[in-house]
Amino acid sequence: MPAQPSAVELLAALAKALGKRRWYLFGAQAVNVHGRPRMTADVDVTVDVRRRGAPRLVADLVRAGFDLRVDNPAEFVRATSVLPFVHRATGMPLDLVLAESGLEAMFLERARLLDVGGLLVPVIAAADLIVTKILAGRPKDLEDAASVLRESGDDIALGPLRRLIRELERALDQSDLTPALERIVASSGGASGLPKPKRIAKKQQTKK
């Protein structure tokens, strides 16, 4: 399934609004890039902006054709680190996550520009997408993680992925992340040998 035209239109408007800010696509739209495509009604993006930069970010997106879906964005950001928008032209929801953790900073560094419906978009790395899906933990998220591993397995080093999952277990005082990963590995059957996403061999430019 090709990229949804509405998602590509939204991402084009978003990229223009974000300018030189670093960001990456994750969530179901990233699964469409790295895994087995499926229909999804929204777009999830993480942007390298702290809470103090949220008002300017909101103003830039409103000018670019996005409307907030909450009445008190400052309070919502304090509680969730998320700015929920809707794209006026397509009616498609956008959840904009403000990068505030070390994990998100690492994901920003490892994101790569990929072809999404003819548009070059910074997309979370396949292994990092699996991590986000395991952390989310819902059955659909775990299915997505297995899909990503099956379709992008040749690009994923399991050793570093397992180490990161173990580190997160220690940091979060959880013991269920490694078993979830191993179930995904077992169900994926290893590398699929299927075509990989079209890649552009460059990182995002780091802000000066």
Side-chain angles (χ1 to χ4, degrees), residues 122-142:
V123 182
I124 189 171
D128 296 338
L129 178 57
I130 290 172
V131 172
T132 67
K133 290 294 183 177
I134 290 174
L135 287 172
R138 299 170 301 183
K140 186 59 184 176
D141 293 307
L142 299 180

Side-chain angles (χ1 to χ4, degrees), residues 22 132 151 181 194:
R22 295 191 306 159
T132 67
E151 303 296 320
L181 173 60
L194 296 176

Side-chain angles (χ1 to χ4, degrees), residues 152-174:
S152 301
D154 289 346
D155 292 334
I156 297 172
L158 287 177
L161 177 56
R162 285 180 168 118
R163 285 194 293 273
L164 178 55
I165 287 293
R166 288 196 297 269
E167 290 170 6
L168 289 170
E169 281 186 320
R170 289 192 291 270
L172 299 171
D173 193 24
Q174 290 183 232

Side-chain angles (χ1 to χ4, degrees), residues 12-25:
L14 177 65
K16 185 175 180 180
L18 292 180
K20 294 182 179 180
R21 300 177 179 99
R22 295 191 306 159
W23 61 283
Y24 62 79
L25 180 70

